[in-house]
Structure formats: structure tokens, C-alpha cells
Amino acid sequence: MMSDGKCLTDWQNLAEKELKAAPESLTWHTPEGIAVKPLYTQDDLAAIGHLDSLPGLEPFLRGPRATMYAGRPWTIRQYAGFSTAEASNAFYRRNLAAGQQGVSVAFDLATHRGYDSDHPRVVGDVGKAGVAIDSVEDMKILFDGIPLEKISVSMTMNGAVIPILASFIVAGEEQGVSRENLSGTIQNDILKEFMVRNTYIYPPESSMRIVADIIEYTAKEMPKFNSISISGYHMQEAGATLTQELAFTLADGREYVRAALAKGLNVDDFAGRLSFFFAIGMNFFMEAAKLRAARLLWTRIMKEFEPKKASSLMLRTHCQTSGVSLAEQDPYNNIIRTAFEAMSAVLGGTQSLHTNSFDEAIALPTEFSARIARNTQLILQHETGVTKVVDPLAGSYYVESLTYELAEKAWALIEEVEALGGMTKAIESGLPKRLIEEAATRRQAAVDRGEEVIVGVNKYRLLEEADIDTLEIDNRAVREGQVRRIKKIRQLRDPKKCAGAIKALKKVARTGEGNLLASAVEAARARASVGEISDAMREAFGDYSAVPEVVGDIYGPASENDPEYQTLKGRLSEQVRKSGRKPKILIAKLGQDGHDRGAKVIASAFGDIGFDVVAGPLFQTPDEAADLAMGEMVDILGVSSLAAGHKTLMPELVARLKAKGADHVIVVCGGVIPRKDYEFLYEHGVAAVFGPGTNVVDAARAVLDLTQGRLRNA
């Protein structure tokens, strides 16, 4: 009989032989270019120098605080804004009573872009995808009954950051809370807007001045308030790989530090109030490793500026589960996805967290879905035991290796940005935007081919989808109410005092003498509106408008072995041969929605398939889109809708085309559109609707069918 030792040795030899004989196909190559092996051992940690680090100590890889959640759990937040200040206030108060620990405000797109609700360009945007805020009076209602000296407030605002923060400061004062006692975070991350989210207003140079003025003001006047939340979240939502998200976010942060130093500030006066914001997607261990790598790299970056305080080297972050990972199909799967993403963020050491609701791929969240999302975090905190141990993944062969590889790859990209002259110069060169759009198109091709599995979408699909209740906002009613309130405020305010404050703000903007936020606070006190304060700066800085560009030769090469793709290309080539030209499609974005990932992916893929593609500019009105369609003589006008304005904007677009004698143009739309709205859109002249998760080849085939049907009937 063999001894136990001999048996164990034989087993080890067999296991090692099996592993060595494992096929190369067992190694997974991530979108970041990291080769993930099926087994990691101590040998994989030989090159890693951070293994002996401790939480709360430089380089803070294991967390910015020594005791982390064992001392205090992360802050539970829900990012929300519902149509009016009254509705949002009621939602916040209910959530706080049910266990939420901070308020995160989602503003509507009109507010983001610095327009008052009565502006003609925002007819379809008011109260959609967030709360409409036009003045201090709206802000006071938003926080009525919420003790601002106790509750931390996070505000996702970049374009109209000056009037929004000014209105918040004045609302706090009038609630009896001085600005030095206000706590929370303003996003104030404009560089990211120029890359992906696009809710900018002013040119980059003027926008960076705004960022620096806010950092200066808050450093002196608001010691409990975080002056900036440097955001990678929207980069990942736009399609960035985790390496790109990590590198570009930290490079943005470095640029903001330089801007603040250029104002004459001492690095230790503001660095401790900088915060970050990352997306957490479905690559569970990679996302946890990303947060650890982010702290490691930020410490490396901040040491360049020679701070004296250890807190100036720390990266503190808020996280939000991924919106892109949510699917319209079999939507209850999204509850599971969000739970795993939340756990990943927690194991990575986030300081606060928002969990998305399962219905957000379809519409704004209902109270029912928001409660499930919030309870996901409460269960994590109180039932799983994850708060008992600091950095429970530390020492894992796999996680430590991922942390190291992500840090190395991200640092190489950060250095590439530096070689271009920093992040502002890199953005001007178009590098970050191009790399992110290429990554987004590449991922879409992988999903469409089924190489990246999404359960319920491209594998294990239900034969029939069940309807779920979704929230619907009466956009017209909200806008009418906001317009009435603005009119009343303008009637009651002191016109001379308001005009004088606006004049002073224009002078500060024009001359560069003084602080923009300090001047805007005075204007807000005089009841100048968000739009009026924004327009005062528009007069000095001008509006910024990006030129739409579309990447090519990404989707096509990735799909060249797909028979469905090749069949479609053949059909289209035959049509071109018969008609003498390619079918021409305009990809349009209506209203103030700047999220253009879907539009860019469709434009890129359709171009590779063989359509003649015109990429329309952002922020068009239906009338402008109709004029562009006529000017370009397109066959199809495709609208990407992600901000719930489709029931207002699409009928108006069809009507404008008809009025201009262009009702021969086929109108289609896609994006976050509830199925219950499809019939409404069909009745109002939309030929096809493509919801979330639509395969691009299927969409292109449907559009080609429509054009061929039109040709046959012509």
C-alpha cells in the first residue's frame, strides 16, 4: 500500500502535468490586453512590490483608512432626480428614512446644459432623466426638511456647475446652514465631458478656469466639501476598457491639480478634498483590482507635487454599478448583476456606492426598483460579513497580479498622455475619445457575435418577455410648472439688484479678475436663474461645439467571419449595384442628451457594413435635424434616444419632415425606449424602434429592408 505522502506526491505530479498540458485556449485575454491564466501561484507575485503595504498607509493600495469598513462602512447613496424638486425631495426623504445615508442629485439635461426650463431648445428635456432646477427657489424645495448640516449631498454637475453650486450654497444659507458646514461633493469634472458625456457648455480653456475657481473657493470657504469628483464612470459607460478608464481618470486628476496650483493654491489646501468616481462592471475581480490600482497610481502621481500631508496622497472614491451592463431583456437578471457589481466595489474598497435599479435599461427607476437597489447595499453591509475585515482580497495571487498588471498598463497610457502635453492637449488631439470609441465598437461586435455572453440577451433568451411597470414623466406638465415658477421669481425679485449681480459676473468672466463662483453666489442671492448665470458666462466665453467624428474599420474586421454579417454586406452591395448609390443614413441626437455611445457605435458599424453615414451634431432640435436630413438628401434618419424624450421629440421630428416636404425620409429610433412606447411611436410615423440589446446586424438588416421596400413602392 502507498503511504499517504507518496499518494499526495503522485497527485501533485498529476495535477502539475494536467495544468502544463492545458490548451492555450484556457488563457483568457481581456479587452485590456491582460492574459488571464487558469491558475496563479506565488511565482506570479515575484515582480510585485506592494504586497507588504498596509491599509491607511502609503501607497494606500489596501484602502485610505486603517480600519476601513471595520471602523465605518461605506456611505449608501442613491443617485436620483425625479422631474420636479417637490417629487425629488419626497423621494430623498423616504430613502433617508429607509436607510440611505447621503443624497445624490441627478439633474435634468436642460439644467446640465445651463438652460432655464422656458428655453425653446429644451422642450423635450425638462424633468426627463433628472430634476429640473432653475433657481435658488427650486434648490430650497429640493432640500426642504433635509438637514444639510448632517446629510452629505453629492451633485453630478459639470456644464452648469457654477450656477448650481451657487444656488446650493444660497439654499443652505437660507435653511440656516453656513457654507463652511455644508458637506458633499460637486462633480466639476469637465475634461471627462469633452471625452464622453458631452454635457459641456464652454470651450476647454474657459471650462478649466471654472474648475480652478471652484477648487479655490471651496478650499477657502467650504472645508467639508469635496470640490471635484474626477469621474471615470462615464468613460466606462461610453465603452472604455478598465485600463482606459483608470488612466484617463487619473490623468484628468493630475490636470486639475496643476490647474489649482496655477491659481496659487498650496497642494495641501485642496488635495485632501479631491474625490474620484468609478464605474463597476461585470468583470468581478478586475473591477476590485482596478480600485486598488487606482489608489496605488494616484499616490505615485501626487508625490510629484511634494505635499506635506499624507491625506493629499490618498485616493477616495465613490462608485456606481454599471448602467451599460443592465439589459432590457429578462430585466430581473439586472438585480443579480447589480449585486455582484456592488460586492466587487466593496471588496475593492469604495468610500460610497450607488446601486442601479433593475429597470434603468428601460426607463427611470420606480420606487419599487429603487428600494431593491438600496436594499442590495443594506444586505451587503449587515448580512454578509464583508465589513468585518479590511481588504479581504489582499494576498490573492490572482487579485494582486491583476492589480499590478492594471497599474502597469494604465501607467503606460498615462505616460502617453503626458507625452502629448497633458490631458487637455490629449483631448484636443482626439486620442482618448478615439480609443474609447474603438473599444466600444469592438465590444459591440463581440456581443453581437456571441463571444461575450450576456444572459437573456444573446444567450438563454426568453421566448416571450414579460411586461414590467416603468415610471413615466409627464414632460409637458413639468415644464409648464417650471415656467410658471420662473415667471413668478422674475416678477418678485429686485430687477436692479439682479441686473447688477449679473453685470458683475460678466466682468469677472471677461477680465479674469475675481472668482466666478463667489460672483455667482451673489447673483443667485439676487435670484438670477441658472440660465441667466450660464448666459452671462456664455457671453464672455462662447459656446463650445464638437465636430462629430466616427471611427471605422473596427466592427467590420471583427465580424468578417460572421456569415450573417457577410450575407448582409452582400445584399447591400447588390442594392448599390442596382441603384447606383449607397443607402444614406443620418444618425441624429435630439435634445440635450450628450450620451452618444450608441449613436457612434451604430454610425461606425453601419459605415463598415456599407451604408453612407452622416453623423449629425449633438443637441439638435427636431427642426434642425429635419433640415440636415434634407440638405444631405438622406434615405433614413436614425435617432439615438437615451434620455426619455422620445415621446415628445420623435412626433415633432416626423411632423417637421412632413411640413418641409421630406416625408419620404424613413425615420427610425433606438436606445432606452420602453416597449410600451413602441406603438405610440409607430402611430406617429416612426418606421422601426430598436431597444437596448439590439444586435447591430439585425438593426442594419431591418433598415435595409425598409429602404428596399421604399424602392419597390416608389
Side-chain angles (χ1 to χ4, degrees):
M1 239 179 127
M2 285 191 299
S3 68
D4 289 344
K6 176 70 164 58
C7 183
L8 182 60
T9 301
D10 287 347
W11 181 258
Q12 287 174 331
N13 290 336
L14 182 63
E16 288 179 10
K17 188 181 293 186
E18 182 181 338
L19 185 64
K20 288 176 181 177
E24 178 66 25
S25 61
L26 289 182
T27 296
W28 171 46
H29 290 83
T30 74
E32 294 75 23
I34 294 174
V36 176
K37 304 181 297 181
L39 179 68
Y40 284 78
T41 68
Q42 190 171 357
D43 294 342
D44 293 293
L45 306 185
I48 299 175
H50 64 247
L51 292 176
D52 58 350
S53 66
L54 290 172
L57 296 177
E58 185 186 329
F60 307 104
L61 177 136
R62 299 188 61 189
R65 295 197 308 272
T67 56
M68 287 299 287
Y69 307 144
R72 187 180 72 199
W74 68 93
T75 302
I76 296 173
R77 293 187 179 277
Q78 287 299 101
Y79 175 58
F82 291 92
S83 61
T84 64
E86 291 89 345
S88 298
N89 173 261
F91 181 83
Y92 298 151
R93 291 170 70 169
R94 286 193 298 272
N95 280 9
L96 290 168
Q100 183 176 310
Q101 297 157 343
V103 172
S104 294
V105 183
F107 297 95
D108 73 355
L109 290 165
T111 306
H112 272 290
R113 292 268 294 143
Y115 292 114
D116 287 333
S117 296
D118 59 354
H119 197 284
R121 296 196 72 85
V122 298
V123 172
D125 296 300
V126 176
K128 290 285 193 181
V131 59
I133 297 293
D134 293 314
S135 69
V136 170
E137 297 305 318
D138 286 332
M139 197 70 82
K140 287 169 68 175
I141 294 168
L142 189 66
F143 296 111
D144 182 43
I146 296 174
L148 292 178
E149 75 280 6
K150 298 178 182 178
I151 298 296
S152 170
V153 175
S154 172
M155 292 181 285
T156 300
M157 178 53 65
N158 301 285
V161 61
I162 288 284
I164 286 297
L165 186 51
S167 297
F168 175 70
I169 291 167
V170 175
E173 290 175 355
E174 297 185 7
Q175 193 191 80
V177 184
S178 61
R179 56 183 175 270
E180 59 264 27
N181 289 320
L182 292 170
S183 64
T185 303
I186 190 79
Q187 192 163 98
N188 192 28
D189 176 9
I190 201 63
L191 290 176
K192 166 262 301 177
E193 299 296 328
F194 291 117
M195 271 189 279
V196 289
R197 191 162 173 257
N198 299 312
T199 54
Y200 45 69
I201 301 174
Y202 315 108
E205 186 176 344
S206 302
S207 297
M208 286 297 289
R209 178 186 162 194
I210 288 171
V211 171
D213 275 15
I214 289 172
I215 294 174
E216 178 186 52
Y217 182 94
T218 52
K220 295 175 181 177
E221 306 286 339
M222 303 173 74
K224 297 181 178 180
F225 202 82
N226 298 323
S227 56
I228 191 168
S229 175
I230 304 154
S231 174
Y233 182 88
H234 301 97
M235 297 180 201
Q236 189 181 134
E237 293 290 275
T241 65
L242 301 198
T243 302
Q244 291 167 353
E245 180 192 7
L246 188 55
F248 295 147
T249 303
L250 299 183
D252 280 351
R254 181 190 249 164
E255 197 85 337
Y256 294 134
V257 171
R258 288 169 174 160
L261 293 176
K263 294 283 292 185
L265 294 176
N266 182 293
V267 66
D268 287 316
D269 289 342
F270 66 86
R273 303 311 304 175
L274 303 178
S275 69
F276 287 79
F277 175 27
F278 288 103
I280 304 295
M282 284 299 290
N283 192 342
F284 186 88
F285 290 106
M286 190 83 79
E287 291 286 7
K290 180 184 74 181
L291 299 186
R292 303 173 86 247
R295 291 190 289 268
L296 181 72
L297 293 181
W298 185 243
T299 295
R300 186 187 299 179
I301 287 171
M302 288 306 295
K303 289 183 81 170
E304 299 170 8
F305 303 106
E306 300 181 350
K308 301 297 187 291
K309 295 179 181 178
S311 60
S312 298
L313 300 172
M314 295 179 186
L315 180 145
R316 296 162 301 111
T317 190
H318 169 72
C319 290
Q320 180 174 336
T321 59
S322 172
V324 168
S325 70
L326 303 179
E328 177 194 37
Q329 296 83 358
D330 207 357
Y332 292 110
N333 288 343
N334 295 332
I335 298 172
I336 303 161
R337 293 184 177 104
T338 295
F340 281 128
E341 290 170 350
M343 176 69 89
S344 180
V346 167
L347 292 178
T350 189
Q351 278 59 70
S352 68
L353 179 63
H354 164 79
T355 32
N356 287 331
S357 300
F358 74 86
D359 50 359
E360 289 187 60
I362 307 165
L364 293 170
T366 63
E367 286 198 37
F368 170 74
S369 65
R371 179 172 61 84
I372 294 172
R374 181 181 63 252
N375 286 350
T376 300
Q377 293 198 55
L378 290 171
I379 290 167
L380 265 177
Q381 279 196 1
H382 296 288
E383 298 187 29
T384 64
V386 294
T387 60
K388 308 302 182 186
V389 178
V390 178
D391 193 17
L393 296 182
S396 158
Y397 301 143
Y398 178 40
V399 172
E400 297 292 8
S401 296
L402 283 181
T403 301
Y404 174 77
E405 289 222 43
L406 275 169
E408 289 297 296
K409 286 186 176 294
W411 189 253
L413 191 49
I414 289 170
E415 292 291 86
E416 188 176 345
V417 168
E418 280 295 285
L420 291 171
M423 203 58 190
T424 303
K425 295 292 185 184
I427 288 169
E428 289 172 357
S429 78
L431 173 73
K433 195 174 186 70
R434 175 176 56 80
L435 291 180
I436 291 171
E437 289 174 3
E438 287 177 357
T441 306
R442 201 172 287 114
R443 179 178 186 260
Q444 184 63 49
V447 171
D448 288 349
R449 295 192 310 273
E451 292 176 4
E452 183 172 332
V453 174
I454 302 175
V455 174
V457 177
N458 62 2
K459 199 169 186 179
Y460 312 112
R461 284 200 68 159
L462 293 174
L463 294 176
E464 187 174 338
E465 296 283 348
D467 291 332
I468 64 169
D469 291 332
T470 55
L471 181 68
E472 186 163 352
I473 302 295
D474 186 345
N475 165 246
R476 286 183 172 83
V478 174
R479 186 169 187 266
E480 288 168 3
Q482 289 297 122
V483 170
R484 285 194 298 270
R485 186 176 292 156
I486 294 171
K487 187 176 180 180
K488 184 177 180 181
I489 289 168
R490 288 172 180 158
Q491 289 173 342
L492 295 177
R493 70 189 182 187
D494 182 331
K496 288 185 179 179
K497 187 175 180 181
C498 183
I502 288 292
K503 183 179 180 181
L505 175 60
K506 288 180 180 179
K507 183 179 179 182
V508 172
R510 187 177 65 254
T511 64
E513 298 172 2
N515 185 284
L516 289 164
L517 179 55
S519 186
V521 168
E522 296 304 317
R525 282 199 189 103
R527 291 313 187 261
S529 70
V530 168
E532 289 166 337
I533 293 172
S534 298
D535 285 346
M537 293 187 291
R538 273 189 174 99
E539 188 175 305
F541 301 149
D543 273 297
Y544 179 77
S545 180
V547 177
E549 296 180 1
V550 177
V551 300
D553 295 322
I554 303 293
Y555 192 94
S559 304
E560 60 186 2
N561 295 322
D562 179 3
E564 294 288 333
Y565 177 82
Q566 293 300 335
T567 299
L568 178 62
K569 284 203 71 172
R571 277 188 59 197
L572 196 145
S573 296
E574 179 62 17
Q575 178 171 319
V576 171
R577 187 187 67 80
K578 289 179 178 178
S579 65
R581 65 180 184 87
K582 296 179 178 181
K584 194 171 188 180
I585 182 170
L586 165 64
I587 307 295
K589 290 288 294 184
L590 302 183
Q592 301 305 307
D593 172 27
H595 294 86
D596 62 352
R597 173 181 180 163
K600 290 292 184 68
V601 167
I602 289 293
S604 178
F606 272 49
D608 285 359
I609 290 166
F611 286 84
D612 186 358
V613 177
V614 178
L618 292 168
F619 315 127
Q620 285 196 300
T621 65
D623 194 58
E624 290 166 344
D627 282 343
L628 182 58
M630 291 180 66
E632 292 286 348
M633 295 186 291
V634 301
D635 305 293
I636 316 107
L637 200 170
V639 177
S640 171
S641 175
L642 299 175
H646 51 274
K647 290 181 72 173
T648 300
L649 297 171
M650 294 305 297
E652 186 177 343
L653 173 63
V654 173
R656 296 312 302 156
L657 285 168
K658 186 174 182 180
K660 295 172 185 289
D663 51 349
H664 60 281
V665 174
I666 299 166
V667 177
V668 300
C669 66
V672 181
I673 303 170
R675 288 183 180 276
K676 66 180 183 180
D677 292 348
Y678 286 17
E679 196 58 40
F680 172 89
L681 294 173
Y682 294 146
E683 290 171 356
H684 286 81
V686 176
V689 182
F690 305 106
T694 299
N695 184 297
V696 171
V697 172
D698 291 343
R701 185 187 300 111
V703 169
L704 184 58
D705 288 345
L706 288 169
T707 63
Q708 289 181 332
R710 180 64 58 88
L711 287 172
R712 282 194 296 269
N713 296 326

